[in-house]
């Protein structure tokens, strides 16, 4: 069992980063007056808390009376506050001991805040351009402060609903996924390092089990958490519950999700976990992070792009046509995978990066054998990616517990259900035929046929 020491991380080193375990160990003599038990903050009490943390107060400037606090959390689990002062700002995020969108009838561990901060730190080390900096972590309070991504940053999902193009999206997301996944895998690390990291993140079991429940289990049975556009999708939901072949495919993917400790994955990499501008892409909210299959992250992102594509017909008006924008989404989907593959292989080919124990350079001395190993590895990863993309689309996003704004913002239920049905049909086809799809271009063709 991994043992956690509670404490408060209060500052970064000269490079702007901090080593979480080292800081936690040092906290036995730190801030004896700080709270040692959890208490939820509110808009009225955030300023008092910030005032008690000197380096956060200094970052804002001025006095408590001058600070503005706004609660902006629209997620399923946490409170999120934007705190602004005369000379600075930051985001304060606090976990709750239950699922926020359900209530205290569904308890949830506060330790997820620790894992989120740890994942931000690790991913930020490998891809600082696309991961916001963490300023402060208070373990007993299950909260942390991080860089505020000020406007024009917007949640990617909202930008896609609005029909906004982001020219660097595929470039940035492929970069983030290639670097974070490669560098936390056995392609880049020793088995000693890897097993220690896997053990550390095994403690995030509650959120892993939440994913197992809402993605791989409940949508395929009668469950109180499931809901969908009714009565329009009643038969579609029933067909999913009665499709034995589909259930076997999902069982295989669930097994991989639970057993394949391939890399440190974000764990919930959808378009609501990415903030964008025309020049910037920032990945946030990795509280579901653990060592799992790489394809789960890649598939989640690509699957959410597919959801955005199928939702577009519900966002047209008399004066707008989204056909050209739908083509742009497909181009981003295609480019994201192709660029990811290219960058991943470049990392693997670079001798200075190829330090892992999985494919020792001393063993794979033949260039031909090395390339064959890469081809097999990427083929397996592609198939995993497509399977997880389909699973994420079917499950919580259409017939499960937590739906997406892409569809939910379509007011007309008939139109909404038509968009959702096309997405469901594509996801089922993807799950059942992924082993036969040789390229992302064939996936795009499958989307067009729906």
């Amino acid at each position: 069992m991994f043992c956690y020491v509670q404490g408060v991380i209060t500052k970064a080193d000269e490079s702007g980063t901090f080593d979480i375990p080292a800081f936690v160990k040092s906290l036995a003599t730190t801030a004896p007056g700080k709270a040692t038990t959890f208490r939820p903050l509110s808009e009225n009490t955030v300023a008092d808390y910030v005032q008690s943390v000197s380096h956060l107060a200094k970052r804002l400037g001025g006095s408590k009376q001058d600070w503005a606090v706004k609660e902006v959390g629209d997620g399923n689990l946490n409170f999120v506050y934007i705190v602004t002062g005369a000379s600075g700002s930051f985001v304060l995020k606090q976990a709750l001991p239950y699922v926020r969108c359900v209530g205290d009838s569904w308890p949830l561990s506060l330790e997820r805040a620790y894992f989120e901060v740890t994942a931000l730190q690790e991913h930020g080390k490998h891809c600082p351009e696309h991961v916001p900096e963490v300023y402060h972590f208070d373990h007993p309070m299950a909260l942390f402060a991080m860089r505020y991504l000020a406007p024009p940053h917007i949640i990617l999902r909202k930008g896609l609903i609005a029909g906004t193009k982001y020219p660097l999206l595929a470039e940035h997301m492929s970069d983030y996924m290639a670097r974070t996944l490669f560098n936390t895998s056995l392609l880049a690390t020793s088995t000693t390092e890897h097993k220690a990291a896997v053990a550390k993140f095994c403690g995030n079991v509650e959120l892993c089990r939440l994913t197992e429940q809402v993605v791989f289990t409940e949508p395929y049975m009668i469950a109180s958490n499931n809901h969908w556009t009714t009565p329009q999708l009643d038969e579609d939901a029933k067909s999913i519950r009665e499709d034995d072949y589909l259930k076997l495919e999902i069982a295989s993917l669930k097994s991989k999700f639970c057993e394949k400790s391939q890399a440190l994955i974000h764990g919930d990499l959808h378009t609501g976990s990415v903030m964008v501008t025309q020049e910037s892409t920032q990945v946030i909210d990795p509280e579901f992070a653990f060592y799992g299959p790489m394809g789960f992250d890649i598939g989640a992102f690509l699957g959410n792009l597919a959801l955005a594509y199928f939702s577009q017909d519900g966002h047209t008006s008399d004066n707008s046509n989204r056909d050209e924008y739908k083509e742009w989404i497909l181009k981003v989907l295609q480019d994201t995978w192709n660029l990811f593959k290219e960058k991943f292989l470049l990392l693997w080919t670079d001798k200075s990066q190829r330090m892992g124990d999985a494919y020792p350079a001393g063993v794979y001395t033949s260039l031909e054998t090395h390339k064959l190993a890469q081809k097999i590895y990427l083929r397996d990863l592609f198939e995993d990616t497509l399977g997880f993309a389909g699973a994420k689309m079917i499950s919580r996003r259409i017939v499960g517990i937590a739906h997406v704004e892409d569809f939910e913002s379509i007011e007309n239920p008939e139109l909404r259900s038509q968009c959702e049905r096309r997405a469901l049909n594509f996801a089922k086809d993807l799950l059942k035929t992924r082993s036969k799809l040789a390229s992302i271009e064939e996936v795009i063709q499958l989307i067009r046929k729906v």
Side-chain angles (χ1 to χ4, degrees):
M1 179 181 293
F2 186 81
C3 180
Y4 304 104
V5 182
Q6 290 191 336
V8 181
I9 290 173
T10 58
K11 61 181 180 180
D13 63 20
E14 292 180 357
S15 68
T17 63
F18 49 74
D19 178 68
I20 289 176
F23 267 90
V24 172
K25 290 177 183 177
S26 72
L27 290 170
T29 59
T30 301
K34 295 291 182 185
T36 58
T37 58
F38 175 83
R39 58 183 173 85
L41 297 180
S42 68
E43 283 190 346
N44 296 326
T45 60
V46 164
D48 291 330
Y49 175 84
V50 172
Q51 187 178 44
S52 73
V53 183
S54 59
H55 73 98
L56 289 182
K58 183 178 180 181
R59 184 176 291 275
L60 293 177
S63 62
K64 181 177 73 171
Q65 291 72 25
D66 303 320
W67 301 336
V69 179
K70 182 180 180 181
E71 210 281 308
V72 295
D74 60 355
N76 300 313
L77 303 179
N78 310 291
F79 281 123
V80 181
Y81 303 95
I82 297 173
V83 189
T84 308
S87 58
S89 60
F90 52 79
V91 166
L92 197 71
K93 181 174 181 178
Q94 185 176 38
L96 294 172
Y98 51 81
V99 178
R100 181 180 178 183
C101 68
V102 176
D104 56 13
S105 63
W106 191 335
L108 205 59
S109 171
L110 294 172
E111 283 298 288
R112 66 185 188 272
Y114 168 86
F115 294 110
E116 180 167 3
V117 171
T118 308
L120 284 167
Q121 164 68 4
E122 183 66 19
H123 284 170
K125 181 172 70 176
H126 300 300
C127 194
E129 301 91 337
H130 303 306
V131 180
E133 180 186 0
V134 175
Y135 303 137
H136 169 80
F137 175 48
D138 186 331
H139 202 151
M141 287 285 286
L143 65 80
F144 63 92
M146 62 185 287
R147 178 162 69 96
Y148 170 43
L149 301 171
H153 279 97
I154 185 176
I155 294 293
L156 174 58
R157 190 184 305 283
K158 294 183 180 296
L160 295 173
I161 292 171
T164 305
K165 294 180 180 179
Y166 300 98
L168 298 176
L169 181 59
E171 183 73 41
H172 288 172
M173 287 304 298
S174 61
D175 201 38
Y176 166 81
M177 291 188 293
R179 288 159 65 181
T180 58
L181 296 176
F182 178 88
N183 284 299
T184 58
S185 76
L186 280 168
L187 298 175
T189 64
S190 70
T191 53
T192 302
E193 295 168 323
H194 191 75
K195 288 183 184 297
V198 171
K200 178 164 63 176
F201 274 88
C202 278
N204 206 14
V205 61
E206 281 199 20
L207 289 197
C208 289
R209 286 185 59 80
L210 180 60
T211 301
E212 293 162 25
Q213 177 179 344
V214 302
V215 174
F216 300 107
T217 305
E218 287 186 347
Y220 305 93
M221 59 184 287
I222 296 175
S224 59
N225 289 322
N226 294 340
H227 65 103
W228 52 83
T229 302
T230 187
Q232 288 85 354
L233 294 184
D234 287 356
E235 288 302 313
D236 299 84
K238 181 181 178 183
S239 71
I240 290 172
R241 296 194 302 270
E242 295 178 350
D243 191 329
D244 290 338
Y245 187 83
L246 190 65
K247 290 179 181 180
L248 292 175
E249 293 296 323
I250 287 296
S252 174
L253 289 165
K254 183 177 181 179
S255 177
K256 289 184 178 183
F257 178 83
C258 297
E259 299 168 358
K260 198 171 187 177
S261 302
Q262 202 169 23
L264 178 58
I265 65 172
H266 179 285
D268 199 25
L269 192 56
H270 53 74
T271 52
S273 296
V274 180
M275 296 193 72
V276 290
T277 68
Q278 294 296 301
E279 298 83 24
S280 170
T281 304
Q282 301 290 316
V283 178
I284 60 173
D285 297 345
E287 62 192 314
F288 282 78
F290 77 111
Y291 272 74
M294 296 180 185
F296 191 76
D297 267 6
I298 309 167
F301 184 69
L302 298 186
N304 271 260
L305 288 179
L307 290 175
Y309 170 88
F310 286 111
S311 75
Q312 292 302 311
D313 289 342
H315 300 299
T316 60
S317 65
D318 294 338
N319 299 318
S320 69
N321 185 303
R322 293 288 182 101
D323 287 347
E324 191 267 340
Y325 188 69
K326 288 165 68 175
E327 290 303 310
W328 176 81
I329 293 176
L330 292 184
K331 183 69 163 53
V332 172
L333 196 158
Q334 177 177 317
D335 287 351
T336 298
W337 168 259
N338 285 335
L339 286 169
F340 165 83
K341 180 179 177 180
E342 176 185 322
K343 294 173 183 181
F344 193 88
L345 288 174
L346 280 174
L347 288 168
W348 195 347
T349 303
D350 185 346
K351 290 184 179 180
S352 67
Q353 300 290 329
R354 186 160 41 107
M355 304 295 290
D357 282 352
Y359 294 85
V363 174
Y364 296 86
T365 54
S366 163
L367 180 61
E368 181 180 350
T369 305
H370 182 63
K371 287 185 176 295
L372 180 59
Q374 291 178 329
K375 181 179 180 180
I376 294 171
Y377 192 100
L378 266 295
R379 172 61 230 179
D380 289 345
L381 179 54
F382 184 60
E383 190 170 327
D384 282 357
T385 293
L386 300 185
F388 287 123
K392 291 282 281 186
M393 290 178 69
I394 286 177
S395 61
R396 54 186 298 221
R397 297 311 180 186
I398 300 178
V399 300
I401 184 174
H403 291 196
V404 289
E405 189 179 355
D406 308 65
F407 294 129
E408 294 297 288
S409 59
I410 301 172
E411 295 183 1
N412 184 324
E414 291 294 334
L415 182 57
R416 180 171 66 247
S417 64
Q418 291 170 18
C419 295
E420 291 173 322
R421 182 173 292 113
R422 287 195 288 270
L424 277 174
N425 289 339
F426 165 70
K428 289 189 291 185
D429 286 347
L430 192 62
L431 278 162
K432 294 178 179 180
T433 65
R434 67 187 190 279
S435 63
K436 301 175 183 177
L437 298 171
S439 67
I440 195 66
E441 287 73 25
E442 291 186 13
V443 176
I444 300 300
Q445 292 175 12
L446 187 63
I447 291 175
R448 295 186 191 279
K449 289 180 181 178
V450 175

